[in-house]
């Protein structure tokens, strides 16, 4: 049984079908990259997994348990699945430290002092020890994004979803954020990434999925998908993306 | 240093020196044109045929000196009414705003109530609400402290202003980007926690300047209570007017109001300007 299983996931916005029957298995400790042209449905798929969007049909299973049952309380699931967004979405009225401690305090009801040591360790681990007491607008994009990752990690999630987390960054800051992902991979975190960083996907992913028009056109290990893509649409996309 | 010789002895760059010079020049122009306009007013207005009469009945120094201390005392009543109404308005306004945005079906009656509340109290002139509540409720024959016009007049102001303040809070809630909500939800926070910890603090901060303007309007509208009894500053000025057969006390009252409202207005504008700069 895979950690996360998608079975025939369908998501519609009105008449527009954004996910059109997605089947995907994500094993524990795997890093899975979703690639594809803009509008292919990568972000929407991640939002569905985190129950930010209800799905119209299909199933999403976490440890074998269907989390997409209509009427299920999404909070418990979201606390187990962390998500990081393209635009960081830090809370601007809180310091980095407060951003990170908010959810564990509210959801797990852990008192501040009890959280503090573990949270400080997280900040140190990602090179943010000096930045704990800064507000988001006093941080660089790369620092903000790393704080956003720490914020999600502080909930001790079992799976992390990353939606193009380097797309809003200046090129020289992309590296520091990708390093964090590699670190997490080493620690055995289960991760799903929507990304335009083909080089990174090729090197670091365990599995790459090419999405187009809400379907997974082709999936496989990176050597295969980047090296010997079978589907003509994958070939066309890669030819353009790797140019 | 000064590789291109653009830095002077005073440590100013060429650009800074130019800017300073420009600033000085515009300051001089602004000051002299203001002086000319003021001079014209001071010289020309007294030449108007009715000026002497107007001066005697509106700008009478002796009357002003005589009435001013009492006017200040009366103004304390305005301040008092303001001081207990403003917090009540903030709380009620926020509650109405939250009620109007409640999504749970069980809270549907609350939504309807919130909508009706804002429609009614924004739709009726303040003075009418003050009359209806201020005369109507004590008219029920309530016993002593409960027939006080202070209570019911304040309530009228609280109800009216809460309706406006609630709408401003709602616009503030709307102004918080939906991605903030998504980020908070993705962490496992409940809708209530998202509202309390993430949306409201930002919403309230965004509307501080607008709410400041509501406070300034409230400070002025406290005078409407004079129509149902309390001898606040406007009423006190009226008493002096009848007593001394002179309008100068009204001017005195206006001066006292301006002494409070102008700094407050300037401050609100300053906050607004700062916020606009931050957004950019
Ligand atoms: N809330 C929404 N309402 C209506 N349509 C939406 C909504 N969110 C997304 N869509 C549509 O769904 C499609 C897929 O969007 P999505 O953001 O998932 O694509 P993406 O693969 O992440 O693209 P990108 O690489 O640009 O981020 C798009 O056509 C988009 O317009
Ligand atoms: Mg996207």
């Amino acid at each position: 049984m895979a950690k996360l299983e998608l079975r025939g996931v369908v998501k519609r916005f009105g008449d527009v079908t954004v996910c059109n029957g997605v089947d995907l298995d994500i094993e524990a400790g795997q890093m899975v990259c979703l690639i594809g042209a803009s509008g292919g449905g990568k972000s929407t798929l991640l939002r569905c997994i985190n129950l930010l969007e209800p799905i119209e049909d299909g199933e999403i299973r976490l440890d074998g348990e269907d989390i997409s049952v209509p009427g299920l309380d999404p909070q418990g699931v979201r606390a187990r699945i962390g998500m990081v967004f393209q635009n960081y979405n830090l809370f601007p009225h809180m310091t980095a430290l407060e951003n990170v401690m908010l959810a564990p305090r509210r959801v797990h009801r852990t008192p501040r002092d009890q959280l503090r040591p573990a949270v400080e360790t997280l900040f140190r681990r990602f090179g943010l020890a000096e930045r704990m007491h800064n507000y988001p607008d006093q941080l660089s994009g790369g620092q903000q994004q790393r704080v956003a990752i720490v914020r999600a990690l502080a909930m001790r999630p079992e799976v992390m979803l990353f939606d193009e987390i380097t797309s809003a960054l200046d090129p020289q800051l992309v590296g520091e954020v990708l390093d964090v992902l590699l670190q997490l991979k080493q620690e055995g975190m289960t991760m799903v990434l929507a990304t335009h960083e083909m080089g990174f996907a090729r090197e670091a992913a365990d599995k790459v999925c090419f999405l187009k028009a809400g379907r997974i056109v082709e999936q496989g290990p990176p050597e295969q998908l980047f090296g010997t893509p079978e589907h003509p649409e994958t070939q066309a996309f890669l030819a353009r993306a790797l140019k | 240093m000064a590789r291109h010789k653009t830095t002077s002895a005073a440590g100013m760059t060429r650009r800074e020196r130019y800017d300073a010079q420009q600033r000085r020049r515009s300051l001089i122009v602004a000051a002299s044109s203001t002086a000319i306009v003021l001079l014209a007013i001071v010289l020309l207005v007294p030449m108007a045929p009715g000026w002497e009469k107007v001066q005697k009945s509106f700008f009478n120094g002796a009357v002003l000196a005589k009435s001013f201390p009492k006017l200040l005392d009366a103004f304390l009543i305005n301040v008092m009414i303001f001081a207990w109404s403003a917090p009540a308005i903030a709380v009620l306004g926020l509650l109405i705003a939250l009620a109007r945005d409640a999504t749970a079906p069980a809270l549907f009656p609350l939504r309807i109530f919130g909508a009706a509340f804002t429609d009614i109290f924004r739709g009726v002139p303040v003075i009418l609400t003050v009359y209806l509540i201020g005369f109507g409720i004590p008219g029920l024959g309530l016993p002593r402290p409960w027939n006080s016009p202070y209570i019911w007049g304040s309530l009228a102001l609280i109800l009216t202003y809460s309706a406006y303040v609630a709408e401003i809070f709602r616009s503030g809630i709307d102004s918080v980007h939906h991605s903030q909500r998504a980020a908070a939800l993705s962490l496992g926070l409940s809708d209530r926690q998202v509202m309390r910890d993430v949306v409201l603090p930002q919403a309230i901060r965004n509307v501080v300047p607008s709410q400041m303007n509501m406070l300034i309007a409230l400070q002025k509208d406290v005078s409407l209570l004079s129509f149902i009894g309390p001898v606040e500053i406007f009423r006190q000025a009226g008493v002096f007017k009848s007593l001394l057969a002179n309008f100068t006390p009204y001017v005195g009252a206006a001066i006292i109001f301006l002494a409070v409202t102008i700094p407050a207005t300037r401050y609100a504008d300053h906050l607004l300007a700062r916020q606009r700069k931050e957004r950019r």
Side-chain angles (χ1 to χ4, degrees):
Chain A
M1 181 181 67
K3 179 80 188 166
L4 199 60
E5 299 164 314
L6 311 191
R7 292 287 175 269
V9 170
V10 174
K11 172 68 199 172
R12 291 190 201 97
F13 291 109
D15 295 338
V16 194
T17 305
V18 179
C19 297
N20 197 0
V22 174
D23 291 301
L24 177 60
D25 279 0
I26 296 144
E27 303 290 339
Q30 261 193 343
M31 177 189 272
V32 174
C33 286
L34 310 176
I35 62 170
S38 188
K42 306 180 293 292
S43 301
T44 307
L45 190 61
L46 293 180
R47 292 172 61 86
C48 289
I49 295 174
N50 206 17
L51 308 188
L52 286 172
E53 303 284 357
I55 60 174
E56 266 70 39
D57 200 4
E59 267 183 30
I60 301 172
R61 293 199 284 260
L62 180 62
D63 286 334
E65 178 203 354
D66 186 359
I67 56 170
S68 57
V69 208
L72 179 109
D73 179 23
Q75 264 178 268
V77 174
R78 292 189 190 129
R80 294 169 61 193
I81 303 181
M83 182 153 180
V84 184
F85 302 83
Q86 179 172 351
N87 294 314
Y88 336 131
N89 299 351
L90 292 179
F91 308 132
H93 58 297
M94 298 180 185
T95 63
L97 185 65
E98 290 166 343
N99 261 280
V100 170
M101 296 213 295
L102 176 67
R105 277 174 53 217
R106 293 285 187 257
V107 181
H108 296 157
R109 311 217 166 271
T110 322
R112 275 171 205 269
D113 347 331
Q114 215 172 309
L115 279 170
R116 198 57 191 261
V119 167
E120 281 184 19
T121 309
L122 276 177
F123 271 97
R124 259 198 310 279
R125 182 139 58 93
F126 297 113
L128 293 163
E130 315 283 290
R131 297 291 168 199
M132 277 198 314
H133 299 291
N134 286 116
Y135 283 89
D137 63 1
Q138 300 166 324
L139 300 174
S140 74
Q143 289 166 341
Q144 289 190 56
Q145 194 56 293
R146 281 181 288 150
V147 172
I149 295 172
V150 167
R151 180 173 71 176
L153 289 175
M155 287 296 286
R156 306 189 171 283
E158 301 158 36
V159 179
M160 287 281 284
L161 312 174
F162 299 92
D163 189 5
E164 293 191 33
I165 58 167
T166 56
S167 296
L169 296 177
D170 293 337
Q172 72 271 21
L173 299 178
V174 169
E176 64 185 57
V177 172
L178 293 182
D179 284 345
V180 170
L181 296 180
L182 291 176
Q183 217 173 321
L184 289 176
K185 182 179 154 77
Q186 254 166 19
E187 290 162 17
M189 177 63 79
T190 309
M191 296 186 271
V192 189
L193 277 72
T195 186
H196 287 301
E197 297 284 336
M198 297 302 155
F200 180 79
R202 184 169 201 161
E203 266 175 46
D206 297 297
K207 185 197 273 189
V208 181
C209 306
F210 170 61
L211 260 82
K212 189 172 180 192
R215 281 178 186 283
I216 296 186
V217 175
E218 186 169 352
Q219 56 177 301
E223 315 80 64
Q224 182 193 321
L225 198 113
F226 287 106
T228 54
E230 284 169 8
H231 203 284
E233 293 197 292
T234 320
Q235 293 165 356
F237 170 75
L238 288 176
R240 252 178 295 120
L242 299 176
K243 196 167 46 184
Chain B
M1 60 163 267
R3 245 188 320 148
H4 300 295
K5 294 207 167 92
T6 54
T7 307
S8 76
M12 280 204 285
T13 66
R14 197 166 55 171
R15 164 65 54 188
E16 283 166 350
R17 244 179 304 138
Y18 175 78
D19 285 347
Q21 194 187 344
Q22 287 294 308
R23 263 198 307 276
R24 226 172 307 134
R25 184 169 302 163
S26 43
L27 203 68
I28 292 171
V29 172
S32 27
S33 75
T34 310
I36 291 170
V37 170
L38 281 181
L39 200 69
I41 292 174
V42 170
L43 291 179
L44 293 180
V45 168
M47 285 161 74
W51 169 245
E52 217 156 296
K53 250 179 27 209
V54 169
Q55 191 187 18
K56 238 202 233 132
S57 57
F58 282 88
F59 301 100
N60 188 322
V63 172
L64 187 65
K66 193 163 166 199
S67 59
F68 204 75
K70 267 263 172 77
L71 287 175
L72 267 182
D73 283 349
F75 190 64
L76 278 185
I77 297 198
N78 294 64
V79 172
M80 224 164 57
I81 294 171
F82 174 84
W84 67 56
S85 300
I89 288 165
V91 172
L92 187 59
L94 190 56
L95 289 179
I96 299 280
L98 291 176
R100 287 202 68 179
D101 289 333
T103 46
L107 300 180
F108 187 71
L110 215 59
R111 265 175 84 172
I112 297 276
F113 171 80
F117 184 96
T118 44
D119 281 355
I120 290 172
F121 287 104
R122 286 193 309 164
V124 177
V126 195
I127 183 67
L128 251 177
T129 310
V130 169
Y131 261 72
L132 289 176
I133 295 181
F135 284 134
I137 295 186
L140 297 174
L142 298 171
R144 265 240 335 139
W146 295 108
N147 59 2
S148 157
Y150 285 91
I151 295 178
W152 303 110
S154 304
L155 181 70
L157 289 179
I158 290 168
L159 293 175
T160 305
Y161 271 80
S162 298
Y164 287 97
V165 162
E167 288 305 290
I168 295 175
F169 276 132
R170 285 182 74 206
S171 76
I173 290 170
D174 266 357
S175 74
V176 177
H177 200 264
H178 58 81
S179 62
Q180 286 282 310
R181 200 185 286 268
L185 285 174
S186 81
L187 290 165
L189 295 172
S190 68
D191 287 324
R192 270 181 78 135
Q193 291 165 335
V194 173
M195 182 53 90
R196 189 188 61 188
D197 292 318
V198 176
V199 177
L200 268 190
Q202 297 183 59
I204 290 173
R205 186 187 299 187
N206 288 350
V207 298
V208 163
S210 315
Q211 303 290 32
M212 281 281 300
N213 284 326
M214 290 311 294
L215 287 181
I216 293 162
L218 171 68
Q219 177 64 67
K220 293 183 295 178
D221 275 354
V222 166
S223 271
L224 294 175
L225 297 205
S226 64
F227 291 109
I228 58 168
V231 183
E232 48 65 72
I233 185 166
F234 177 65
R235 182 84 170 252
Q236 182 67 53
V239 170
F240 276 123
K241 184 213 77 181
S242 314
L243 211 66
L244 307 171
N246 193 293
F247 286 102
T248 306
Y250 284 129
V251 176
I255 291 171
I256 292 173
F257 270 110
L258 290 176
V260 173
T261 51
I262 289 181
T265 315
R266 291 287 109 225
Y267 184 61
D269 285 354
H270 163 76
L271 288 180
L272 204 61
R274 198 175 63 186
Q275 220 168 53
R276 246 186 242 127
K277 220 161 64 194
E278 278 171 7
R279 293 251 170 83
R280 243 184 288 127

